[in-house]
Amino acid sequence: MISKDLLQKLNEQIGLEFESANIYLQMSSWCAANGLDGCASFLRAHTAEEMSHMFRLFDYVNEIGEMAIIPEIPKPRAEYENVRELFSATLEHEKYITRKINELTAAAFEDKDFSTFNFLQWYVAEQHEEEALFNKILDLVDMVGHEGRGLYHLDKEITTISADVVAGPSASTEMPG
Ligand code: OFO
């Protein structure tokens, strides 16, 4: 049986995945409003991926006979100076999520809850991919630039990354039913 403390942490993580989805959805709106349709569609696809992270946790909590409680979700930031600042914020956010997943995994281990510990391994691997993805995008931003013609190329290139992400094994945009 899962401890109260660990259950609360899983519910908090459900909230964090919702928060990630909302952050990226809001970012996609900023991109669309600034004429960056490629970035907007990449971030929208990533929103669906975050929702799949949320559903995976939600289903796990229900499967172990507990009730998932969705916490309050903070309002996402809506304004950015430029697209570099926006993608820099995505990487910082993913680093924060990695820290939270690590804390959660450590708590499961300390509780000797090896079923939950095993379940969380997927998130440990996923966070490695998430950080690598946003690092790659930031490198791209720095290579092509984020002004004038560079911005046009960046928006086109992001569409390619977007296609890779959608095709990737762990990056399904489908929401588990
Ligand atoms: Fe971006 O990985 Fe979930 O939050």
Side-chain angles (χ1 to χ4, degrees):
M1 189 178 161
I2 194 161
S3 72
K4 252 188 154 175
D5 185 54
L6 192 55
L7 178 60
Q8 191 185 325
K9 285 187 165 67
L10 285 173
N11 279 324
E12 283 166 10
Q13 191 63 39
I14 288 174
L16 286 168
E17 300 299 341
F18 258 121
E19 186 181 356
S20 300
N22 286 350
I23 288 172
Y24 298 145
L25 187 61
Q26 185 66 65
M27 283 177 168
S28 98
S29 186
W30 183 93
C31 290
N34 284 278
L36 299 165
D37 292 345
C39 294
S41 98
F42 165 79
L43 287 159
R44 195 183 165 104
H46 212 76
T47 296
E49 191 180 330
E50 296 298 352
M51 287 302 284
S52 78
H53 298 175
M54 183 283 296
F55 274 120
R56 193 179 274 259
L57 281 155
F58 183 88
D59 288 343
Y60 180 77
V61 170
N62 290 335
E63 276 162 20
I64 59 173
E66 300 290 347
M67 190 168 77
I69 305 283
I70 299 163
E72 200 171 334
I73 319 293
K75 189 174 186 295
R77 173 180 170 188
E79 292 297 337
Y80 294 90
E81 281 293 307
N82 53 49
V83 78
R84 195 190 189 288
E85 195 203 8
L86 181 145
F87 279 115
S88 178
T90 63
L91 181 59
E92 287 315 305
H93 180 70
E94 289 302 335
K95 286 181 179 170
Y96 167 66
I97 296 296
T98 301
R99 286 197 296 277
K100 300 308 284 182
I101 290 291
N102 288 346
E103 280 171 23
L104 186 53
T105 310
F109 189 78
E110 276 157 29
D111 264 15
K112 295 190 171 54
D113 185 336
F114 296 116
S115 171
T116 303
F117 179 77
N118 186 47
F119 165 75
L120 290 170
Q121 297 310 301
W122 184 90
Y123 287 87
V124 172
E126 178 63 15
Q127 280 315 116
H128 171 79
E129 281 188 24
E130 292 282 77
E131 285 195 31
L133 170 68
F134 287 110
N135 257 317
K136 185 173 161 184
I137 292 176
L138 263 189
D139 285 348
L140 179 68
V141 174
D142 289 338
M143 258 187 292
V144 302
H146 59 276
E147 279 163 5
R149 202 172 281 196
L151 194 54
Y152 171 79
H153 289 299
L154 173 69
D155 199 48
K156 278 240 170 307
E157 284 297 319
I158 293 269
T159 316
T160 324
I161 293 177
S162 183
D164 286 353
V165 168
V166 172
S170 63
S172 165
T173 56
E174 269 176 43
M175 295 188 195

